[in-house]
Amino acid sequence: MKHHERIQEQARLARGLAAERQQLFAQVPFASELERTPQDIERIARPVVAVAGTASLGKSTLQLTLGADVPWKWLEVEVPATPEASELAGDFEAGGLGVGELAEHCLLVLSALLPPSPEVLEWLQRLVEVFPEGSLQVVLTRKDELPEGLSLEDVRERFTQELREAVPHRTLPLFLVSSTTGEGLEELREALAGSLAQRQKALLEAALKDWSTLLAELHALLGMKDLAKLRPETLSRLRLCLDELLAEEGRKLEDALPHLAEESVRELEPRLPEAERPLTQAFREKLGGRVEPRLKELRQRVDAVLARELARDVEGPATLALADRFGRLIEPDGLFFDWRFARKGGLAGVGAALLMGVARKHGGWALLGAALVGGVLAGLLGKGTRLRTAEELKRVVAEPLLEDSRQRVKQATESSRADVERVCTLLQKVAEVFSPAEAGAWDAERLGQAVTQAESRQQQLGRELTELHWKHTLEGLQEGLPPAAGGSAPTA
């Protein structure tokens, strides 16, 4: 299967998901109110490719030569060429939005005749922050205008070095093309389509997962009929109490971090001298071990607040189910993070980064646990440098990790408070849907059947996407292509 066809097939699945959403929202009108972040399914069905570069580099011509009849949309973005132009253009903005919000893939266009300016390299550093691996490619135009005596190998080597110095942590595909002669365009076109297909697949998988989460929450809502007895004043009090509790505990933990870090440094001092990397890992483990009991205490306090407030209106199993729902927001051994596995050193490299992506999406105190114990704080994995004194240990290891830990506490606090707001909103919706005044308008059994049918269709779309992936992989192997469909372009 050609990459263009794969994009079209995945677009068909995306449109199928859009139709399923529309159908369920028609059957269960309040379902759309439970979405965390409404998905732009149309953008998945027809992804956007940004062609970014300074003026007069042939961006428009490049788009035309790559093709107008393609299963994606083009977006031309002009990169500021000078500091003054950068300020006027709002630095990293395009039409008031960041390029990463406007496009799923980016081609950064440079001239093969000139080295990239500092402003362009700064732009590149920002681009790698918003476009994940595989979704950013560098295109050198005017290949046919290279002066005699300057070989393609020399050009490639020069730009490879420039890119490596600007973004040493990323490998960027590099293409030399000529819109005049057509050289290199077919290779670029295939690599672009292959990478975009991968990006589209990841976005579609995320959308299907979010849809599954929404359906699960709808089932939870329909199973909470007993909580319809909750009075508005009880919900308001619950929301306020939990919000204040999380804010208070966040402040306490943030204030306690320096002391906890000092204790960890004192325990590690007898190990000096030792390489920075194992000391960094050991410090994370000790600091995380000191934070863990505090999070468990927080879980107990949340349970106590729930039991006290909900008992005003509701008693029985429903309160236990709700307490568990809140508890998962902060429990480090909960649904989205395995605390013990991380402490054993199970997270490293790409695995840790992927888990951080999952944890960040769900947020809450589980994110803090993942950050402290899993060792994914801003990639501070430590180096091979040998530390000899307690002062070096404090300056090189403890202080940077302590600062990141403070930021994580703030993020965890705000994320958990947002989660509380969300669950309380869910309870409010339960009270509205199953209130005496509205209960007759909703048939809980019929609503449940609609959600179950939507789950079945969601699972079918997931299976079709998996089958499509394996079909593409098999065809790629038969044709001698790499499974990731990233093209065979030399990389910088």
Side-chain angles (χ1 to χ4, degrees), residues 151-373:
S151 67
L152 295 179
E153 289 72 18
D154 290 339
V155 174
R156 189 179 299 281
E157 182 178 352
R158 184 186 74 195
F159 276 91
T160 295
Q161 184 61 31
E162 291 269 10
L163 297 175
R164 185 177 292 124
E165 291 177 358
V167 286
H169 56 291
R170 281 283 290 271
T171 298
L172 300 174
L174 182 65
F175 301 86
L176 277 81
V177 304
S178 169
S179 297
T180 302
T181 65
E183 293 179 88
L185 290 176
E186 186 59 32
E187 180 185 31
L188 173 59
R189 186 182 295 109
E190 283 301 303
L192 166 60
S195 296
L196 188 58
Q198 288 293 105
R199 174 68 169 151
Q200 183 192 41
K201 172 178 175 286
L203 292 171
L204 183 52
E205 287 175 335
L208 286 168
K209 185 174 182 180
D210 286 348
W211 182 236
S212 177
T213 299
L214 173 60
L215 296 176
E217 293 203 345
L218 278 172
H219 270 309
L221 184 152
L222 295 173
M224 290 181 179
K225 291 176 62 176
D226 291 343
L227 297 177
K229 300 174 184 178
L230 288 173
R231 294 171 297 169
E233 55 267 29
T234 300
L235 280 174
S236 297
R237 188 185 302 108
L238 178 61
R239 180 186 282 111
L240 179 62
C241 289
L242 288 172
D243 188 76
E244 291 178 346
L245 172 60
L246 291 169
E248 176 191 350
E249 289 299 318
R251 288 192 296 268
K252 286 182 178 178
L253 183 54
E254 188 176 352
D255 292 340
L257 278 174
H259 175 67
L260 300 179
E262 288 177 6
E263 290 180 346
S264 300
V265 168
R266 281 197 298 269
E267 289 187 14
L268 290 173
E269 189 172 355
R271 291 176 49 170
L272 297 171
E274 190 172 342
E276 178 185 342
R277 186 172 288 110
L279 287 172
T280 300
Q281 179 63 25
F283 179 85
R284 277 195 298 261
E285 291 174 358
K286 291 185 178 298
L287 183 60
R290 287 177 165 83
V291 170
E292 181 179 5
R294 293 170 178 263
L295 297 187
K296 289 185 176 179
E297 292 174 8
L298 176 58
R299 170 66 187 267
Q300 294 171 355
R301 292 192 65 187
V302 167
D303 286 345
V305 169
L306 284 167
R308 183 189 72 220
E309 298 301 326
L310 295 179
R312 300 174 187 271
D313 298 338
V314 182
E315 294 181 358
T319 61
L320 298 177
L322 182 59
D324 179 67
R325 191 172 184 81
F326 271 102
R328 286 179 180 273
L329 301 177
I330 60 173
E331 178 58 58
D333 209 4
L335 187 61
F336 302 113
F337 180 70
D338 189 336
W339 184 279
R340 291 164 297 182
F341 178 69
R343 191 162 55 210
K344 293 175 182 176
L347 301 178
V350 174
L354 288 176
L355 177 62
M356 177 56 78
V358 173
R360 183 182 296 115
K361 188 165 189 177
H362 293 282
W365 293 85
L367 170 59
L368 175 63
L372 292 179
V373 182

Side-chain angles (χ1 to χ4, degrees), residues 83-126:
E84 294 77 13
S86 179
E87 291 178 6
L88 291 174
D91 252 354
F92 194 54
E93 301 298 308
L97 291 173
V99 179
E101 298 178 54
L102 295 169
E104 283 65 53
H105 191 94
C106 182
L107 298 179
L108 179 60
V109 182
L110 307 175
S111 170
L113 306 178
L114 299 170
S117 68
E119 289 72 32
V120 169
L121 291 177
E122 181 182 355
W123 235 71
L124 174 61
Q125 291 169 347
R126 299 185 183 187

